[in-house]
Amino acid sequence: MTPGDTFIRRTVGEPPRDTASPAGSCILVVFGASGDLTKRLLLPALYNLACDALLPRQFALVGLAQDDLSTDQFRSRMTEEIRKFTTRQMFDAQVWQEFVGRLHYVPGNFADPAAYQRLADFLARLDAECQTGGNVLFYLATPPAVFGSIAAHLDRPGLRRRESGWARLIVEKPFGSDLASAVELNRALRAHWDEDQLYRIDHYLGKETVQNLLAFRFANGIFEPLWNKTHVDHIQFTVAETVGVEGRGRYYDRAGALRDMIQNHMFQMLAYLCMEPPTSFRADAVRNEKAKLLEAVRILTPEEVRRDTVRGQYGSGKKPDGTVAAGYRQEPDVAPQSATETFAALKLFIDNWRWEGVPIYLRSGKRLWKRGTEIVVQFKKAPEVLFRATPAAGSLDANKLLFHIQPDQGIEFRFHAKTPGPALYLQKVDMRFDYRETFEAGRGTGYEVLLYHCMIGDATLFSRTDLVESAWRIAQPILDCWAALPPEDFPNYPAGSWGPRATFDLLERDGRRWVEVVNRHVLEEVPLFRQADPVFLHNLAMMLKPVVYSPGAVIIRQGEIGGQMYFICRGQVEVLNEAEEQLRTLGEGDFFGELSLLLSRPRTATIRAVSPCDLFVLDRADLQRALQDHPQFSGALWTNARSRYQLPEETGEEDRPAP
Ligand code: BG6
């Protein structure tokens, strides 16, 4: 995960402003303490807790790993690392100095029983010295292959079996690589640990914006009555990443997008968004509802898997900074003919009273055009009868509630408003709550809240055995069916694009579209909009709809009556005359299709995709609104049209169709 997606109090040393108080005394033992997770996430999170006075007053951390380090070496290594990985703007050397004195290191091999005895002896001494009340948290920041054996080795006096205090076990993902291995891992863990001692971390549940789904749904009276099949048309979940596999090819090539993102993080968000109201926020009350929800997800048949799922793998392309991105098969530690999906999309249904018949679309992929986790709840459309006579009737859109999970953090509601003036014209507008504007907060790693909750013994944010297995029960038939199907024609999307075309077909077949969340900064990359007024760009962002074309596909045909203009986000198109001769090509940042809208004439040329193309579409009614309300944009478009199509100088305002 990327640090910086959740909020913690900003000011160094500032006393906590909420009612949270320091967690109770304990020792945290980290298995695999010399690894990446410890320095990148755990240490910065613990340091943040220390700065916010939420760390237990009596606290110690014991790192255990194979590296032959002394406690002093471990402390100085961590002191170097925290400077690199802290999420705070100002480094509080005093808090760190006090914190680093609580770090200890015990070298040991995870498979060596003697290492566990040494650990038990060390913990006994440390507990007496630090007055930690016998409480111990064991954190498995290790490869998953050793989860089961460490959990078993820990089941001895002085470790799990304690004379006083509690013992808890924190397990990092992945929880199995398929249903059978997840069941086996759960069996291995449960053979030695009780359910209430197990804390399985899914870092998505540490994100403020994900936790806020519950506050939003259950602390506000107006949404719950609408939260069902009567009012909701469908729901979309998107987790887009710009990064590739980042040196994790060895793991990822055996995982793929469905296992890595959808089966865990996205199903957790799905459960939060769609579950029934729990009777309290106690761990089991929430986890029971999540489990019921996942159990109600319809298991796909092989035929449905073929129809309602999409797999993709990126080929070479571009990174957001414009540099070349290698294709997935060229990444280190990835098989040259790998059939692993780096993108997946699914359509699911929840077969319960609340959601029956409401499609749930999920998609996630690596090396896409932008980083963004978003949830869209699209409501049913208002009947159009009242607006038949207005120009906006054709584009009367459904209301949408958008949860911006990351990197933007907020909630947005999109609806129609009447534009000022004597006539009844409609425009899409939005109401938006932005975390940054409302809360005075700094950035954290997301692990603060998870570690804190483990320390206070609140398991609400952690997965239970049945939840893990229910999530695998949904994913397994898809994995099985994919494995049995002939290999896909990979790569099927270029790095830096919107993903495979089939993902868009998945919704278009149902008469729906993905909501591609664009912001002003993306639009400013388009030369036409570079100097544009921010209000115009904000409005435009809501009007644009995404569409993807494969090479060779005809986008507009000469002679047809056009209803839309297009902006090229990625890819290249060719402009053809009647004889299908190429007149010119257009690329990123260009636009086309505007002439027949400006002049109300049939299309004067055919436009065909030369490469995979990601386009934004602007409907006629929206264009007319934009022309009318933003003279600067109208002027720029006309100037361009006059020179591009050699129109007489005077062509312009007078030719514009009446709105
Ligand atoms: C991890 C996956 O669980 O989540 C990674 O293994 C992925 O592949 C990461 O990049 C995404 O986390 P975040 O917090 O950046 O959305």
Side-chain angles (χ1 to χ4, degrees):
M1 80 170 261
T2 313
D5 294 327
T6 57
F7 283 81
I8 50 162
R9 273 172 297 280
R10 182 194 286 147
T11 321
V12 172
E14 183 189 10
R17 261 179 268 131
D18 54 21
T19 52
S21 42
S25 318
C26 66
I27 299 175
L28 171 64
V29 180
V30 181
F31 283 83
S34 56
D36 234 33
L37 184 79
T38 308
K39 66 182 186 202
R40 281 179 190 277
L41 295 166
L42 299 186
L43 252 283
L46 290 165
Y47 166 67
N48 283 336
L49 288 175
C51 290
D52 288 337
L54 293 173
L55 209 57
R57 292 199 181 91
Q58 270 73 44
F59 174 77
L61 181 148
V62 179
L64 193 143
Q66 315 218 6
D67 303 42
D68 199 13
L69 295 177
S70 67
T71 285
D72 281 345
Q73 285 168 322
F74 182 61
R75 287 178 181 174
S76 58
R77 198 188 264 193
M78 291 303 131
T79 303
E80 274 170 41
E81 303 293 7
I82 193 70
R83 295 271 183 183
K84 287 188 231 153
F85 296 110
T86 179
T87 58
R88 298 179 100 82
Q89 282 179 351
M90 276 160 54
F91 186 72
D92 191 328
Q94 201 184 332
V95 172
W96 177 257
Q97 222 31 59
E98 205 266 323
F99 176 80
V100 80
R102 304 181 189 206
L103 306 189
H104 305 266
Y105 188 81
V106 175
N109 184 316
F110 306 145
D112 175 15
Y116 294 87
Q117 193 49 53
R118 276 203 310 279
L119 177 65
D121 297 341
F122 187 77
L123 288 183
R125 285 201 303 278
L126 199 59
D127 182 40
E129 194 183 304
C130 300
Q131 301 289 300
T132 42
N135 303 325
V136 195
L137 260 177
F138 297 100
Y139 197 123
L140 303 190
T142 63
V146 293
F147 288 169
S149 79
I150 297 180
H153 277 299
L154 285 173
D155 190 5
R156 61 167 62 215
L159 296 177
R160 188 189 78 79
R161 295 186 227 153
R162 316 202 54 74
E163 278 169 20
S164 64
W166 46 254
R168 298 180 187 137
L169 185 67
I170 307 179
V171 188
E172 267 289 335
K173 66 153 244 196
F175 314 120
S177 53
D178 55 17
L179 177 58
S181 58
V183 170
E184 174 49 30
L185 175 60
N186 281 334
R187 193 205 54 73
L189 296 174
R190 290 299 316 281
H192 301 277
W193 295 79
D194 294 334
E195 186 68 54
D196 64 4
Q197 293 181 293
L198 288 174
Y199 289 70
R200 298 178 184 86
I201 285 203
D202 183 308
H203 78 266
Y204 260 66
L205 297 181
K207 294 182 191 286
E208 279 296 341
T209 40
V210 173
Q211 291 167 36
N212 190 47
L213 291 173
L214 297 188
F216 178 86
R217 284 193 56 197
F218 303 124
N220 297 299
I222 68 167
F223 296 103
E224 196 49 28
L226 304 177
W227 222 247
N228 54 52
K229 62 184 178 189
T230 312
H231 301 285
V232 174
D233 177 75
H234 74 277
I235 302 175
Q236 303 181 7
F237 289 83
T238 300
V239 179
E241 296 187 275
T242 49
V243 292
V245 287
E246 308 295 285
R248 293 159 73 225
R250 202 179 304 265
Y251 148 76
Y252 196 87
D253 209 31
R254 281 184 281 131
L258 183 65
R259 289 184 173 92
D260 186 52
M261 289 302 298
I262 298 185
Q263 180 275 338
N264 40 47
H265 308 319
M266 296 187 79
F267 284 177
Q268 291 286 346
M269 291 195 285
L270 169 72
Y272 266 15
L273 194 85
C274 296
M275 71 185 195
E276 295 300 313
T279 49
S280 76
F281 282 133
R282 284 205 347 272
D284 271 335
V286 174
R287 300 201 292 185
N288 287 346
E289 296 308 334
K290 285 170 72 178
K292 270 160 60 184
L293 189 283
L294 291 184
E295 275 159 31
V297 172
R298 189 186 304 164
I299 305 296
L300 299 186
T301 63
E303 196 194 327
E304 287 164 340
V305 172
R306 278 194 292 274
R307 194 190 57 209
D308 294 340
T309 70
V310 175
R311 278 180 290 169
Q313 187 192 79
Y314 61 86
S316 58
K318 263 203 287 182
K319 295 183 188 166
D321 63 5
T323 57
V324 174
Y328 175 68
R329 289 176 177 177
Q330 286 76 53
E331 299 270 15
D333 299 321
V334 168
Q337 292 307 318
S338 172
T340 300
E341 83 286 355
T342 58
F343 180 101
L346 322 175
K347 174 164 104 174
L348 297 176
F349 286 98
I350 301 168
D351 286 337
N352 65 13
W353 283 94
R354 188 187 282 265
W355 295 116
E356 195 196 22
V358 178
I360 314 283
Y361 302 99
L362 303 107
R363 61 175 172 167
S364 178
K366 293 208 179 277
R367 279 268 185 260
L368 296 174
W369 67 300
K370 65 155 195 186
R371 173 170 183 250
T373 299
E374 289 125 16
I375 304 173
V376 179
V377 178
Q378 179 155 325
F379 293 91
K380 298 220 161 132
K381 260 170 79 163
E384 294 194 350
V385 60
L386 281 176
F387 300 97
R388 274 184 197 151
T390 79
S395 63
L396 198 61
D397 229 347
N399 295 144
K400 297 178 182 69
L401 192 57
L402 278 74
F403 295 91
H404 300 275
I405 305 291
Q406 65 179 23
D408 290 351
Q409 299 184 307
I411 297 174
E412 181 186 350
F413 182 58
R414 294 191 181 172
F415 59 105
H416 288 277
K418 177 188 167 299
T419 59
L424 181 57
Y425 295 137
L426 299 180
Q427 184 177 314
K428 291 163 202 140
V429 294
D430 67 340
M431 290 196 285
R432 200 178 162 119
F433 146 70
D434 195 317
Y435 272 67
R436 255 156 259 270
E437 285 166 13
T438 310
F439 299 121
E440 216 193 281
R443 295 178 142 211
T445 64
Y447 271 68
E448 292 78 5
V449 69
L450 296 170
L451 287 167
Y452 180 79
H453 280 233
C454 291
M455 290 174 187
I456 63 169
D458 182 343
T460 315
L461 299 178
F462 303 86
S463 244
R464 210 168 51 186
T465 299
D466 53 343
L467 268 158
V468 171
E469 293 178 10
S470 298
W472 275 116
R473 260 182 219 109
I474 305 166
Q476 190 64 51
I478 304 173
L479 292 168
D480 291 344
C481 185
W482 282 353
L485 286 171
E488 288 270 341
D489 194 11
F490 284 162
N492 60 353
Y493 71 97
S497 72
W498 292 354
R501 155 91 221 174
T503 314
F504 290 79
D505 297 338
L506 181 69
L507 268 74
E508 277 164 30
R509 274 203 306 270
D510 297 346
R512 301 188 171 94
R513 276 179 194 270
W514 289 105
V515 175
E516 213 57 79
V517 176
V518 247
N519 58 30
R520 177 154 76 79
H521 306 294
V522 173
L523 294 179
E524 274 164 355
E525 311 259 301
V526 178
L528 181 66
F529 303 137
R530 224 154 254 163
Q531 303 300 323
D533 151 35
V535 175
F536 164 64
L537 291 183
H538 178 78
N539 291 341
L540 187 69
M542 275 183 285
M543 297 172 184
L544 296 175
K545 295 173 182 163
V547 52
V548 170
Y549 285 92
S550 307
V554 171
I555 304 168
I556 62 180
R557 197 175 291 281
Q558 187 172 36
E560 282 177 358
I561 304 294
Q564 293 162 326
M565 76 171 284
Y566 299 81
F567 298 91
I568 306 177
C569 203
R570 223 195 53 81
Q572 204 181 39
V573 301
E574 54 186 350
V575 184
L576 306 171
N577 66 13
E578 253 169 79
E580 300 241 325
E581 289 157 353
Q582 192 190 78
L583 300 177
R584 61 178 173 274
T585 59
L586 300 173
E588 251 155 67
D590 278 328
F591 55 90
F592 58 90
E594 79 289 11
L595 186 66
S596 68
L597 301 192
L598 289 172
L599 300 178
S600 278
R601 283 192 202 149
R603 302 288 195 195
T604 55
T606 294
I607 309 268
R608 194 161 62 189
V610 176
S611 65
C613 283
D614 301 335
L615 310 175
F616 277 121
V617 179
L618 186 62
D619 286 331
R620 176 194 292 273
D622 289 329
L623 173 67
Q624 284 171 348
R625 281 253 57 78
L627 292 175
Q628 193 162 318
D629 295 347
H630 302 279
Q632 212 189 354
F633 171 62
S634 171
L637 209 57
W638 276 110
T639 308
N640 187 286
R642 281 188 217 105
S643 84
R644 194 192 253 187
Y645 307 105
Q646 281 113 42
L647 301 175
E649 258 322 290
E650 64 279 9
T651 326
E653 297 300 297
E654 73 285 0
D655 288 311
R656 202 166 61 187

